[in-house]
Amino acid sequence: MTTEQLKKLEKDLWDSANSLRAYGGLKAADYAVPVLGLIFLRFADNKYSHFEPEILKEYKAEKGTRLERRIEAIALSKCGFYLPDFARYDYLLELPQDQSLAKKLREAMEGIEQYQDDKFKDVLPKEAYFDIEKKKADILPQLLKTFSDIPKDASGDIFGKIYEFFLGEFAMSEGQKGGEFFTPTSVVRFIVEVIEPYAGKIYDPACGSGGMFVQSATFVKEANHDLNDIYVYGQEYMGETARLAKMNLMVNNIRGEITETNSYENDPYNGLGKFDFVMANPPFNVKSVKESTVKNDERFYKYGLPKNKGKNTNDSITDANYLWISLFATSLNEKGRAGFVMPNSASDAGNSEYEIRKKVVDSGIVDCMVSMPSNMFLTVTLPATLWFFDKQKANNERKDNILFIDARNTYHQIDRAHREWREEHIQNLTAIVRLYRGENERYLELVKSYINQANEAMEKVPGAFNEYAALLQTTIKNLQQYALDSKTKHKPDAYKTIIASGLLDKINNLTLPNLLLPVIARYETVSSNEEQLTYLKHLEVYTKQLKEIEAALKTSKDILIEVLAIADKQLKIKNDKDWTALSLNANKQIEELQQNYKNCTDQVAHYRTNIHWLQSRFPEAKYSDVVGLCKVADKTEFVVEQDYSLNAGRYVGVSIDEEFLSQSEFKKTLIQKKKSFEHLSNKSRDLEKRIMNNLNIFSN
């Protein structure tokens, strides 16, 4: 299944499921868990069907021998679970309408859990289906039918992506509450790319629905490593969310454990110095934690407790942000890496938080700080910061350096209230980190991958161009032929209308410019930085020419569509056989082919933009500070000059303009903004006076 096909399937499934929710008047909060349970059920049936021949073969071979085992035991060893007949998807799909599907779903879920390990028992939803059935009895059968559209040969990867897609959509529907269990995928992807959890123990003490683990597994598979090389440990306070996370692990075939517990109070994994990787998006600014809860736990007190000094002697921790920071640091083993989200305020927090931050920084483990755009999360609109720890850094050449990245202006706007990082944003920002680590070859590999994708996109351009241009040319000729036939043959009335409306001149003047598609110089290899820089020069010329051709074609297309629309309106010829025979009802096809050509050229331009973004900032394929984007600060800067501030904005500076304005252009823009500010200020003062006058009149 291609990426495009998967996206379409996800959208179709969501649209169908969500329309049923609206039809039943159900809240997203009441609907999410049972729907995700049905996705799991479909996944379980697909996976079991794949292993079933092997299970039955081994069962029959052992039957009657000393090695004979129950079929459930064989299924668990082969597939990871046993699926009884009454839990099979087709059985449930074909149930008579007079039976309670909610009851049968509960039995199916119980049947699956009966043979599971204890850690995966009481995970699947059971009672929630009755609430849906009470609302509208026909919703559950329709939901089952909806998810039967997932192909029977769909792999576990596809189910994992569908499950994660639905989690994100439900989180979006619930707004702030959704953010409690779901961290946007693009944020998690970036964290994973930076800390690179290829193998080892991965810990998330605020795991929500398990998104950090899913993206870690995706990273491992994409790097062609063995998924069995990672084992995950999650803690989650909310019981329902912990169950979602357990289902998520099962769907994605991830080995690990999820414990429903409060991370401040309990340490179920004896986690001090245990983990290779820590990832988390903990709750921000929690003020309800008692000092007595954490004061004897080294995971929290090693760097100091965030506690008010002086007269205030109550038992409350001032703010839990630095409890989390301490927990992440102390949970790492001697080679461990951590990546986590914190509010911006934590980067400069004072008092006891300052003392903790000072100790953490002095330990040498702070590797990178990334300022994020606002509106990246469902829970908060304010910008946050990503912190990265690396225990090995304290013993290498980077021990006295910290990389600061200001990524506040790097994002894609999803809608008015939400932003995200697209895959290229993630890769480009990660490239900065890798250059900082001295991994220059990986930077060249990224640019090479963009070049390969640009080449693939270019291969589609000639076909799209020829198809589009040929249809325009044919339609113009056929329209001119129709006008001529109207004059010389059997359509005198039509011809009179053409003359009277002035269409004849427009039709005769229709032309398609003689356009030659440009050809870009090809390279057998583009591995070295010099070759890649040269390639970009040619690519920039090529994309500019493509856009000029696109504009010329659009001009001709717009005139043609306008003439066809006028002709149709004036002549009333939609049902004219000659008009149809000449394919003059081709407006929709013309628009589609134009869009197809534009999509092809946009793809080429997209990769040109990303290659340019990297090469314009790092022309030597080596790390260098970029004003307004990134800065490697040394101890003099972050200790002496900035007094342990970890705010990236203090270090990277401000670029004159992200769009590469010249000094004079920047000055002109600043003058215009100054004038606008003065105008608005004067208007504000005028409004203040009018309001005060009105208030004075009223008070007198």
Side-chain angles (χ1 to χ4, degrees), residues 64 194 272 310 375 444 459 657 670:
V194 172
L272 186 66
N375 291 51
L444 293 173
E459 289 174 3
D657 197 319
L670 189 62

Side-chain angles (χ1 to χ4, degrees), residues 490-592:
H490 55 280
K491 297 186 182 294
D493 291 339
Y495 189 67
K496 285 179 184 178
T497 306
I498 290 172
I499 295 292
S501 63
L503 272 171
L504 187 61
D505 289 338
K506 290 185 177 181
I507 291 171
N508 289 335
N509 290 333
L510 275 172
T511 58
L512 189 67
N514 186 22
L515 301 170
L516 293 175
L517 206 62
V519 178
I520 186 171
R522 291 280 179 164
Y523 292 82
E524 291 300 318
T525 59
V526 282
S527 298
S528 72
N529 189 47
E530 291 72 21
E531 290 169 332
Q532 292 180 352
L533 289 167
T534 302
Y535 179 91
L536 178 61
K537 291 179 182 178
H538 290 285
L539 184 59
E540 287 181 330
V541 173
Y542 178 78
T543 52
K544 183 180 178 182
Q545 291 172 323
L546 286 183
K547 288 300 176 184
E548 289 170 353
I549 291 173
E550 182 185 324
L553 285 173
K554 184 178 184 302
T555 299
S556 296
K557 187 270 303 185
D558 289 345
I559 296 171
L560 174 59
I561 293 292
E562 179 188 5
V563 173
L564 288 173
I566 294 171
D568 183 36
K569 184 176 181 181
Q570 295 287 341
L571 302 175
K572 311 293 183 187
I573 48 179
K574 270 191 176 177
N575 299 319
D576 187 325
K577 291 181 181 178
D578 292 338
W579 183 269
T580 304
L582 290 167
S583 301
L584 293 173
N585 291 323
N587 298 39
K588 183 179 179 182
Q589 189 182 2
I590 290 171
E591 297 283 4
E592 288 174 350

Side-chain angles (χ1 to χ4, degrees), residues 18 23 51 60 72 116 124 131 135 145 183 300 306 315 379 401 462 479 491 507 569 581 598 647 654:
N18 200 40
Y23 160 69
F51 284 98
K60 289 175 183 177
E72 296 88 347
Q116 276 291 339
L124 301 176
D131 294 333
K135 283 274 187 179
K145 188 174 184 305
T183 303
F300 297 109
D315 188 35
T379 47
N401 294 330
L479 185 58
K491 297 186 182 294
I507 291 171
K569 184 176 181 181
K598 185 178 185 302
N647 186 330
V654 179

Side-chain angles (χ1 to χ4, degrees), residues 230-274:
I230 64 170
Y231 195 92
V232 305
Y233 299 81
Q235 291 172 225
E236 172 53 44
Y237 180 61
M238 302 298 294
E240 187 175 271
T241 305
R243 288 189 284 277
L244 287 178
K246 290 181 180 182
M247 271 198 287
N248 214 354
L249 295 194
M250 293 169 77
V251 167
N252 284 280
N253 198 31
I254 300 171
R255 299 186 313 130
E257 303 170 33
I258 306 291
T259 302
E260 181 187 336
T261 188
N262 186 324
S263 293
Y264 305 122
E265 299 173 358
N266 298 307
D267 181 17
Y269 309 125
N270 296 316
L272 186 66
K274 177 176 183 176

Side-chain angles (χ1 to χ4, degrees), residues 216-230:
S216 296
T218 300
F219 177 83
V220 168
K221 286 183 282 189
E222 287 177 352
N224 295 318
H225 285 245
D226 191 337
L227 192 55
N228 288 323
D229 288 343
I230 64 170

